[in-house]
Amino acid sequence: MRRAFTLIRRYSTALAAKEDTASPCSLEPLEIVEQLDRFIIGQAGAKRAVAIALRNRWRRHRVPDELRDEIHPKNMLMVGPTGVGKTEIARRVAKLTSAPFVKVECTKFTEVGFVGRDVDSIIDDLYRAASNSEKQKIREQNHEAVMERAKEHVLSKLCGPAELEGFRSKLEAGELDTTKVDVEVQIKNQNPQQRMSGSTGFISMEMLRPGGRSQTKRLPVPDAIHQWAEAEMEKLLDNDEVHRRAVQACEQDGIVVIDEIDKVVVSPDSRRGNTASDEGVQQDLLPLIEGTVVNTKYGGPICTDHVLFIASGAFHSVKPSDMIAELQGRLPIRVELQPLTQDDFYRILTEPSTNLISQHGEMLKTEGVTLKVEDAAIQEMAKVAFMANASIQNIGARRLHTVVERVLEEISFNAPDMEGQEVLITPELVRTNVGDILEAQDLRKYLI
């Protein structure tokens, strides 16, 4: 059975390769790293590993057909403290590539037989992401043509052929916006559709009915154009074709990020009966990551042989070696992310174009307040964040949100009454506003 399914997939893969040999992400590794550098400070090793993995997807699309199915992605495990960029790297990768991408929290899953989600639902989520992406591509490719046809359809209801050009000019000038026209609107069934999954696509009870119910409405011209364009676009979103392309994208270019994987890892010293579900999740992940055929709810059978899996976790109370050996083997690329230093905090507040200080500056500008922050004040905020992480609990870059919010709290509150003013943030103001954070921690050592 598996052999027959593999042969079918090889045929469909070869067919898709002839249709389009382009991989969703054609950026070179250096370009990928440069894009990540715009938003993430440090962690060069993790960036390089992700860049190589993405580039290998592009390379695989260009090798000979007989070799393509033998090349499997090198799944990876990102290990590092919370707040150092693991999730952010995954989030930015999703924006860099147009491949089907899904990020899941490992804590949502339980072993088969326990209450909770099965790991197979990950591929369901991946298929839905791929299907939505394919539909969006079709919409973008056909938007202009559909809108032109919609305008022509509405104009044909407003005038005859002799007046067509004159009415078209009025339409473009907005002179017909208040004019109303009759449009036949399809009434959708409000009951949940009964869907059956299979390799041929979707089948719903609505499709099995001999005809749908329609209603004529009198709408303003802009609404009529929109209504008719949507009806035409739905015809283009052929379920069979969308299904085929979505399955192909999942199998050949899908990327799954499994976050918080350490939460289902149990230390050998603390194994108890109630940890069975956690280890069971690891067991259930094994075939998924190694490669298997998952019978999804809506997409039918999907093969995971060439899906790239990126697992990540802080591993505070457990070690990666506490994972079951088979799962460790299926995540051969291991990347260690480093804790953030005081200099890293300063760079986070200054280098990214969307840094916290710039965000607050733009938000205050909407109130007519100009925010100026001295470089020494930024250094002081970085110092406070680093010291708080060292003395309280290390939550990484997220500590900067606490510090910056505390520094700007009074200004943000009074901003509506400060229109036209310029506010200067100095090191002294930083120490005044956030000093109580560190003082409170100094007292903790005297508490029992």
Side-chain angles (χ1 to χ4, degrees):
M1 177 68 180
R2 174 65 188 269
R3 175 65 177 168
F5 185 81
T6 302
L7 291 174
I8 293 172
R9 285 304 179 207
R10 286 184 178 179
Y11 173 77
S12 62
T13 300
L15 179 64
K18 291 178 181 178
E19 294 176 357
D20 183 14
T21 58
S23 175
C25 183
S26 59
L27 294 175
E28 296 179 0
L30 182 60
E31 293 173 320
I32 295 173
V33 171
E34 288 175 348
Q35 289 292 325
L36 293 176
D37 282 341
R38 294 174 53 203
F39 305 99
I40 303 164
I41 299 301
Q43 314 305 352
K47 293 174 183 175
R48 286 172 64 92
V50 169
I52 292 171
L54 291 181
R55 187 62 175 181
N56 281 340
R57 316 307 298 276
W58 181 89
R59 292 164 179 158
R60 179 178 167 273
H61 279 266
R62 285 158 177 77
V63 301
D65 293 346
E66 61 272 12
L67 185 60
R68 187 176 297 127
D69 275 351
E70 303 302 323
I71 299 176
H72 296 272
K74 304 300 185 291
N75 302 314
M76 69 179 68
L77 174 65
M78 293 195 294
V79 181
T82 184
V84 298
K86 301 186 299 296
T87 303
E88 186 66 11
I89 288 175
R91 192 167 71 89
R92 294 296 172 182
V93 165
K95 293 187 176 182
L96 282 179
T97 175
S98 59
F101 180 96
V102 65
K103 174 182 170 292
V104 297
E105 301 289 337
C106 212
T107 51
K108 294 180 180 179
F109 302 104
T110 60
E111 182 183 1
V112 174
F114 287 74
V115 176
R117 295 183 67 190
D118 295 341
V119 296
D120 285 357
S121 64
I122 294 173
I123 307 304
D124 268 316
D125 294 342
L126 187 65
Y127 173 78
R128 280 194 288 269
S131 180
N132 291 337
S133 176
E134 292 300 330
K135 288 180 179 179
Q136 184 61 30
K137 289 177 185 177
I138 292 174
R139 287 182 176 276
E140 291 173 356
Q141 292 167 0
N142 296 279
H143 176 72
E144 292 185 6
V146 168
M147 289 301 295
E148 284 301 318
R149 290 202 298 271
K151 291 177 182 178
E152 294 298 323
H153 178 78
V154 171
L155 286 173
S156 68
K157 289 183 171 293
L158 290 173
C159 63
E163 304 168 293
L164 194 59
E165 290 302 321
F167 270 78
R168 183 179 287 111
S169 299
K170 292 181 179 179
L171 177 64
E172 297 299 333
E175 297 176 14
L176 301 178
D177 287 357
T178 58
T179 304
K180 292 189 175 183
V181 62
D182 291 334
V183 178
E184 196 173 84
V185 179
Q186 193 74 20
I187 304 300
K188 293 184 178 180
N189 182 25
Q190 296 300 315
N191 296 324
Q193 289 187 342
Q194 305 294 324
R195 286 185 172 179
M196 300 167 57
S197 62
S199 59
T200 58
F202 294 116
I203 302 177
S204 69
M205 297 303 293
E206 187 70 28
M207 296 177 189
L208 300 178
R209 290 175 183 166
R213 189 163 59 92
S214 61
Q215 177 182 348
T216 301
K217 289 187 176 181
R218 194 163 183 80
L219 301 174
V221 166
D223 293 341
I225 292 174
H226 175 76
Q227 190 74 41
W228 198 86
E230 281 297 311
E232 283 297 297
M233 191 66 76
E234 287 299 323
K235 296 177 184 178
L236 293 175
L237 298 176
D238 177 70
N239 279 335
D240 288 341
E241 179 61 16
V242 169
H243 170 78
R244 185 189 70 79
R245 291 170 60 173
V247 170
Q248 189 68 35
C250 281
E251 295 183 337
Q252 302 302 318
D253 298 299
I255 301 174
V256 174
V257 172
I258 305 175
D259 202 6
E260 306 288 355
I261 196 170
D262 56 311
K263 300 301 186 292
V264 295
V265 177
V266 183
S267 172
D269 300 330
S270 61
R271 294 190 188 276
R272 296 184 299 274
N274 60 357
T275 64
S277 179
D278 289 339
E279 188 164 313
V281 172
Q282 296 184 59
Q283 296 283 357
D284 291 344
L285 283 171
L286 291 179
L288 201 67
I289 296 177
E290 183 180 25
T292 188
V293 178
V294 177
N295 287 308
T296 59
K297 188 175 182 181
Y298 301 122
I302 293 178
C303 181
T304 66
D305 285 354
H306 301 290
V307 175
L308 173 64
F309 289 88
I310 302 175
S312 65
F315 289 92
H316 287 308
S317 56
V318 293
K319 304 186 295 295
S321 58
D322 291 332
M323 292 192 298
I324 59 176
E326 297 88 346
L327 186 57
Q328 294 182 52
R330 286 160 176 77
L331 300 168
I333 308 299
R334 185 173 299 181
V335 182
E336 299 279 348
L337 282 80
Q338 303 303 315
L340 298 174
T341 65
Q342 182 174 328
D343 183 58
D344 289 333
F345 283 126
Y346 173 77
R347 294 177 60 198
I348 291 171
L349 288 174
T350 55
E351 293 184 12
S353 57
T354 57
N355 64 71
L356 285 176
I357 293 176
S358 296
Q359 292 177 26
H360 280 278
E362 291 299 319
M363 286 192 292
L364 288 173
K365 193 178 292 184
T366 64
E367 303 270 14
V369 179
T370 303
L371 181 68
K372 298 290 185 182
V373 185
E374 292 183 357
D375 186 72
I378 300 176
Q379 293 278 10
E380 188 66 24
M381 284 188 274
K383 178 182 176 182
V384 170
F386 178 75
M387 292 176 64
N389 275 349
S391 59
I392 311 172
Q393 187 174 6
N394 190 354
I395 60 173
R398 296 183 179 92
R399 183 71 65 186
L400 287 173
H401 288 274
T402 303
V403 173
V404 174
E405 287 291 338
R406 183 68 68 86
V407 170
L408 299 176
E409 181 179 16
E410 192 70 20
I411 298 169
S412 296
F413 185 82
N414 295 314
D417 301 323
M418 300 170 63
E419 185 175 357
Q421 297 185 32
E422 180 177 293
V423 179
L424 179 66
I425 306 299
T426 63
E428 292 75 20
L429 180 62
V430 173
R431 284 191 286 268
T432 300
N433 289 357
V434 301
D436 59 325
I437 296 178
L438 298 180
E439 289 174 6
Q441 298 315 309
D442 289 339
L443 294 175
R444 290 173 71 126
K445 61 185 177 183
Y446 298 108
L447 301 177
I448 298 177

